[in-house]
Amino acid sequence: MAVKPDPVFTKLTKVLSALKETTVKEKSGEEAASELKEDFRRENGGAPLTDSQRQAVRRTKIRVERETKRKQHIRRCVACGSQLPVSARADAKTCSDACRQKLARNR
């Protein structure tokens, strides 16, 4: 027996994939949620949202806010507090050899 996909969740995945593709303008969680809510209202012909649609709107807001928070995370040097270079290794803790030596002397 074939399972029919839920239209609410397919719409949610479309919205989230569109957010990942747009790098020019960052959307806030409120904007993404309100856009999805308006889309659902248009689909429903102005009728109130169903429970699953309201849950999808809430999930969209939370996911977008989490994604923007993740993008804003900046790795910092343990010794001096400056931003680590983009080319630094994933396990790097210091920004330069001088900071690494300073950290080693302080141990």
Side-chain angles (χ1 to χ4, degrees):
M1 180 166 98
V3 177
K4 185 177 177 185
D6 189 3
V8 173
F9 295 116
T10 55
K11 182 72 175 177
L12 176 64
T13 55
K14 285 180 186 176
V15 169
L16 291 176
S17 65
L19 285 174
K20 289 180 184 176
E21 291 172 4
T22 57
T23 56
V24 177
K25 180 183 176 262
E26 294 290 326
K27 290 187 179 184
S28 71
E30 292 289 332
E31 291 172 347
S34 64
E35 284 180 12
L36 184 60
K37 190 184 281 187
E38 289 302 316
D39 288 344
F40 283 144
R41 282 193 182 134
R42 266 187 254 118
E43 287 178 6
N44 295 345
L49 274 61
T50 63
D51 287 338
S52 60
Q53 288 174 337
R54 278 196 297 274
Q55 288 175 357
V57 169
R58 193 170 352 148
R59 283 189 195 118
T60 300
K61 180 181 176 187
I62 291 169
R63 285 182 183 169
V64 170
E65 289 172 354
R66 233 185 250 156
E67 184 70 19
T68 55
K69 185 184 271 189
R70 186 186 64 77
K71 285 181 181 177
Q72 292 172 350
H73 176 71
I74 298 172
R75 294 179 17 195
R76 301 234 172 243
C77 176
V78 179
C80 67
S82 66
Q83 183 177 347
L84 286 177
V86 179
S87 60
R89 290 175 48 155
D91 60 345
K93 292 183 173 83
T94 58
C95 61
S96 64
D97 286 338
C99 285
R100 183 182 51 76
Q101 291 170 353
K102 177 181 172 185
L103 193 64
R105 281 193 299 270
N106 290 337
R107 285 189 201 160

